[in-house]
Amino acid sequence: MAGFDSHCHLDFLDDPGHCMASAQSAGLDHWLVPGTGPDQWQQAHRQFSEDPRVSLAAGHHPWFLPEKPADTRTLVSWLDRHSDCVAIGEIGLDFFKHHPESPSAQHQFDWFLAQLAIARDRTLPVIIHSVKAHDRILQGLKRFPSVVGVVHGFVGPYVQAMAYVDRGFYLGAGSVIFQSAKTLDALARIPAERVLVETDAPDQRIAVQHLSGSHSFQPEGLDNPLLDWPSTLSRLAEARDLKPEVFQEQVSQNATVLFGG
């Protein structure tokens, strides 16, 4: 089975068509583009809705929340008009202060709960952004026991990882596994049936210094962030003592089960 990048902002790339063609030569053939806000949903839909290699999601990212109290009518209207939306996301909580005007923790949580309710009502998976917020995310998920999805770009120890797995969630493995030993350990130990592999392109690149030494997973094109996917896959396959092609089959099947495609 060809590779499935479970979290990739293709619409943020300068030349997505070229990058995708190059990545297909390296064994990928499907990408999920998460949503960040209404303007981005429209742009991504214009670019990729006719491309069978791309799945689209819609949601309010915690960095870009409206200032008003949680009001999901815009999202509901979008979903009503776009039945090809495969997930609600990227939604969640980010308690790392990127800038002084970051939404308050309570404002983020209110929006998170409101979007979880939509996912429950529509039986759609969620794509969760969690930064320094795992405990609060899990508190929210307890209110919606039927909701499943993926914690994208998971960072944390094994115990935290299993708290999500025990709720039926998948965890997205990204470039952080080259930098965080506890995260690599966690993603190497959870059931393989609960792992997805992602690039989070174009922002979360694998640093060259983390590909030196004993690791031979140099990206085939350092100018193409989509080609970080086979490097991440190979690093995690090594940690799990699996052949990359066997692990690729598993993680791509996992993504297809969760999102279709």
Side-chain angles (χ1 to χ4, degrees):
M1 178 179 284
F4 190 140
D5 185 342
S6 64
H7 196 101
C8 180
H9 297 277
L10 292 174
D11 50 321
F12 295 172
L13 298 176
D14 292 333
D15 189 350
H18 172 76
C19 291
M20 292 164 71
S22 178
Q24 280 193 287
S25 298
L28 285 98
D29 76 346
H30 208 99
W31 293 265
L32 185 137
V33 176
T36 59
D39 290 343
Q40 182 273 337
W41 309 338
Q42 294 180 41
Q43 176 62 29
H45 188 266
R46 283 194 297 268
Q47 282 185 271
F48 302 111
S49 62
E50 300 300 322
D51 192 329
R53 301 171 297 174
V54 179
S55 296
L56 298 172
H60 291 278
H61 191 292
W63 292 1
F64 310 116
L65 295 174
E67 293 182 2
K68 61 186 178 182
D71 181 348
T72 56
R73 285 177 293 181
T74 300
L75 178 56
V76 168
S77 176
W78 179 267
L79 295 170
D80 286 343
R81 292 178 287 114
H82 299 87
S83 60
D84 57 345
C85 184
V86 302
I88 304 297
E90 177 175 352
I91 66 174
L93 306 174
D94 193 317
F95 294 162
F96 178 76
K97 294 297 184 180
H98 294 276
H99 52 77
E101 297 180 1
S102 294
S104 71
Q106 187 59 50
H107 189 65
Q108 291 184 48
F109 193 63
D110 291 344
W111 273 93
F112 179 52
L113 294 180
Q115 293 180 93
L116 287 175
I118 294 174
R120 176 200 60 200
D121 295 345
R122 293 178 178 256
T123 321
L124 286 171
V126 293
I127 302 164
I128 291 181
H129 173 109
S130 177
V131 176
K132 298 184 181 297
H134 288 316
D135 290 343
R136 194 76 164 130
I137 290 283
L138 287 162
Q139 288 176 13
L141 293 176
K142 287 179 181 178
R143 303 189 189 188
F144 300 91
S146 65
V147 173
V148 296
V150 58
V151 179
H152 109 82
F154 175 79
V155 179
Y158 174 72
V159 171
Q160 198 86 70
M162 287 304 300
Y164 288 112
V165 170
D166 289 343
R167 297 196 64 81
F169 270 73
Y170 297 78
L171 300 182
S175 62
V176 73
I177 66 171
F178 290 89
Q179 307 168 49
S180 170
K182 69 179 180 182
T183 302
L184 178 61
D185 173 72
L187 292 169
R189 293 168 61 193
I190 68 171
E193 295 79 13
R194 291 294 162 182
V195 179
L196 305 183
V197 174
E198 63 177 67
T199 60
D200 199 12
D203 293 333
Q204 301 298 320
R205 297 302 311 272
I206 300 173
V208 173
Q209 64 265 31
H210 296 300
L211 295 172
S212 59
S214 62
H215 305 308
S216 59
F217 311 128
Q218 290 286 350
E220 297 175 54
L222 292 176
D223 61 339
N224 184 352
L226 304 189
L227 291 173
D228 286 359
W229 193 92
S231 297
T232 302
L233 176 94
S234 294
R235 181 67 187 95
L236 189 51
E238 179 193 56
R240 299 185 69 102
D241 196 25
L242 293 171
K243 293 181 178 180
E245 59 270 24
V246 173
F247 192 45
Q248 176 170 313
E249 180 84 16
Q250 179 67 66
V251 300
S252 297
Q253 179 180 332
N254 295 345
T256 300
V257 169
L258 182 60
F259 298 123

